[in-house]
């Protein structure tokens, strides 16, 4: 119902690390509903994306020129925190990472995220140019759950994902351990530290 049970510095800005991918996921959900992309649509790993993101941080281990559906990319982003998958999704849907981040920021403004700015689709260290607040992340999660409940259940909180013969497990510390927990996203970089955005239903 929107009631806040506890808050500490809820408007303080901080670096979200891979929790950035929640906005990438939400934006993809919005574009799917608008008919601008489709879950069955196939995107191709560009040479630029491969050169910059092959095996960088958490990945789906996408090969050069890999052809992959939007559904597979979103599972990679939400379950195994795929940096490479985030970039392939951004380039395929918007034409470039810069165009995608412009859409991320426009969507953030639309839902009232006043203390957030995105400069990448995946939250990889960028000297603090990408930042969020706790209040803004709650707005983002609430919008995702209310607008896209079926997609939320399909993509969020999965325990593992297999792509191209490689099985990886979700790093979410609450799934299967806390009653009603259904994910959303973990993150870590040396720059940001540990970050987490999650939900539970009881």
């Amino acid at each position: 119902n929107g009631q806040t049970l506890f808050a500490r510095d809820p408007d303080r800005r901080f670096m979200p690390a891979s929790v950035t991918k929640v906005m990438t996921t939400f934006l993809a959900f919005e574009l799917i509903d608008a008919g601008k992309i489709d879950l069955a649509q196939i995107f191709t790993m560009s040479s630029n994306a491969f050169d910059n993101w092959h095996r960088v941080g958490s990945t789906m281990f996408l090969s050069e020129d890999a052809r992959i559906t939007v559904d597979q990319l979103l599972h990679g982003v939400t379950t195994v925190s795929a940096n490479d998958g985030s970039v392939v999704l951004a380039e395929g849907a918007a034409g470039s990472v810069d165009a995608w981040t412009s859409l991320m920021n426009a969507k953030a403004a639309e839902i009232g995220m006043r203390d957030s700015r995105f400069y990448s689709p995946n939250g990889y260290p960028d000297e603090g140019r990408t930042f969020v607040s706790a209040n803004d992340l709650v707005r983002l999660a609430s919008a995702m759950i209310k607008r896209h409940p079926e997609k939320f259940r399909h993509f969020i909180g999965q325990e593992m994902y297999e792509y191209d013969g490689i099985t990886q497990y979700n790093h979410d510390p609450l799934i299967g351990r806390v009653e009603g927990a259904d994910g959303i996203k973990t993150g870590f970089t040396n720059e940001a530290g540990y970050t987490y955005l999650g939900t539970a239903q009881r």
Side-chain angles (χ1 to χ4, degrees):
N1 64 6
Q3 180 184 6
T4 299
L5 301 180
F6 174 81
R8 185 177 64 200
D9 298 328
D11 295 314
R12 179 179 62 85
R13 296 176 175 183
F14 61 92
M15 293 172 284
S18 282
V19 173
T20 298
K21 297 182 179 95
V22 180
M23 175 53 82
T24 283
T25 302
F26 176 64
L27 176 56
F29 288 177
E30 294 278 282
L31 294 176
I32 291 165
D33 275 13
K36 295 182 178 179
I37 60 174
D38 184 89
L39 286 175
Q41 190 171 352
I42 295 174
F43 293 153
T44 301
M45 179 82 151
S46 69
S47 58
N48 180 66
F50 182 82
D51 290 344
N52 288 308
W53 294 102
H54 179 60
R55 300 195 176 218
V56 175
S58 301
T59 75
M60 296 175 68
F61 302 99
L62 293 173
S63 60
E64 191 167 8
D65 299 323
R67 289 170 52 79
I68 183 168
T69 66
V70 170
D71 183 88
Q72 289 173 310
L73 288 168
L74 281 170
H75 274 297
V77 169
T78 56
T79 304
V80 304
S81 198
N83 289 326
D84 51 357
S86 301
V87 172
V88 173
L89 178 63
E91 290 184 346
S96 70
V97 167
D98 286 345
W100 179 263
T101 55
S102 292
L103 293 175
M104 292 172 74
N105 288 311
K107 187 59 65 175
E110 177 193 313
I111 64 174
M113 297 175 69
R114 298 185 300 270
D115 294 296
S116 299
R117 188 73 180 169
F118 299 99
Y119 279 86
S120 81
N122 54 29
Y124 204 73
D126 60 7
E127 299 179 343
R129 290 185 296 169
T130 295
F131 56 84
V132 296
S133 71
N135 265 341
D136 279 357
L137 289 179
V138 169
R139 289 187 184 93
L140 173 58
S142 297
M144 176 185 284
I145 293 166
K146 290 174 182 176
R147 294 188 188 186
H148 308 286
E150 293 183 2
K151 294 182 187 68
F152 183 88
R153 288 190 294 271
H154 180 67
F155 289 105
I156 304 299
Q158 303 301 312
E159 293 187 6
M160 53 80 68
Y161 183 60
E162 180 181 341
Y163 172 74
D164 199 24
I166 300 172
T167 300
Q168 298 186 73
Y169 291 88
N170 197 328
H171 291 158
D172 192 302
L174 302 191
I175 296 172
R177 298 178 181 88
V178 173
E179 180 188 350
D182 52 12
I184 296 178
K185 192 73 192 72
T186 63
F188 174 79
T189 64
N190 289 330
E191 187 178 55
Y194 289 98
T195 60
Y196 183 72
L197 175 64
T199 65
Q201 183 172 342
R202 297 180 181 174

